[in-house]
Amino acid sequence: MSEYRIQLNWKKGPEEFKYETYDRTHFIRFGGGQEIRGSSTASTFGKEEYANPEEIIAASLSSCHMLTFLAVAAKRKYIVLEYSDTAISTLDKNENGKLAIVKIDIHPKTKFAQENFPTEEELKTLHELAHKSCFIGNSIKAEVIIHPSLE
């Protein structure tokens, strides 16, 4: 078993504490010392320039999938030169009528060395194996849709 810890801090500002007006800005400090500012989405009175939970969950899945994909590719003797992704989380009502992240689409683009270049089918298999082993993907209820492409 492993544990991973973050520290989240929020403090009320000078504004009145009403739903429409209180500042949602908070700080998230990760174990290694990196810190990011978070907020809610602009549509829920947050600050667009800061990361929101909907983006953070998409980033977590994207990062985990990439790291797992790289491990799977390396074990199968593929040399990955570049990897990029655009992840999109969809917030909607779930089957119980509650707001939830119901779907996360990832769009990984991968560039391989020419000496062992995967076919489209092999690329699909690499992503399927990565998804099955990605612990973040295994932890969330949202549907994950992978749209892989080669560069």
Side-chain angles (χ1 to χ4, degrees):
M1 183 174 92
S2 300
E3 291 184 343
Y4 303 92
R5 193 175 310 250
I6 63 99
Q7 177 65 47
L8 184 140
N9 292 301
W10 174 88
K11 187 182 250 185
K12 181 190 171 306
E15 69 282 335
E16 189 174 359
F17 190 73
K18 288 187 172 182
Y19 178 75
E20 297 83 6
T21 59
Y22 71 86
D23 187 4
R24 281 123 169 106
T25 303
H26 54 280
F27 298 88
I28 304 169
R29 181 180 296 273
F30 296 90
Q34 182 181 15
E35 187 173 274
I36 64 170
R37 287 184 182 194
S39 187
S40 61
T41 63
S43 64
T44 54
F45 308 107
K47 294 185 178 174
E48 192 174 306
E49 64 268 26
Y50 301 143
N52 62 60
E54 296 85 344
E55 293 170 325
I56 292 170
I57 194 169
S60 293
L61 176 73
S62 178
S63 177
C64 184
H65 184 86
M66 179 205 67
L67 292 168
T68 308
F69 178 88
L70 294 176
V72 169
K75 287 179 180 181
R76 293 193 170 217
K77 308 291 188 228
Y78 292 103
I79 299 171
V80 179
L81 300 176
E82 294 179 25
Y83 184 105
S84 65
D85 187 15
T86 300
I88 304 164
S89 65
T90 302
L91 181 67
D92 202 352
K93 290 191 177 180
N94 65 14
E95 64 276 358
N96 298 322
K98 302 287 185 183
L99 278 178
I101 298 296
V102 296
K103 179 176 72 164
I104 300 175
D105 286 89
I106 62 173
H107 298 83
K109 293 181 182 176
T110 315
K111 185 175 182 180
F112 291 90
Q114 292 299 320
E115 51 267 20
N116 190 14
F117 200 82
T119 65
E120 291 285 335
E121 192 59 37
E122 289 166 335
L123 178 67
K124 183 179 173 187
T125 298
L126 291 171
H127 280 290
E128 286 171 358
L129 291 169
H131 180 61
K132 287 179 184 176
S133 297
C134 170
F135 55 86
I136 299 296
N138 290 329
S139 301
I140 61 174
K141 292 181 181 180
E143 176 185 18
V144 176
I145 302 171
I146 304 166
H147 307 272
S149 64
L150 292 168
E151 280 191 11

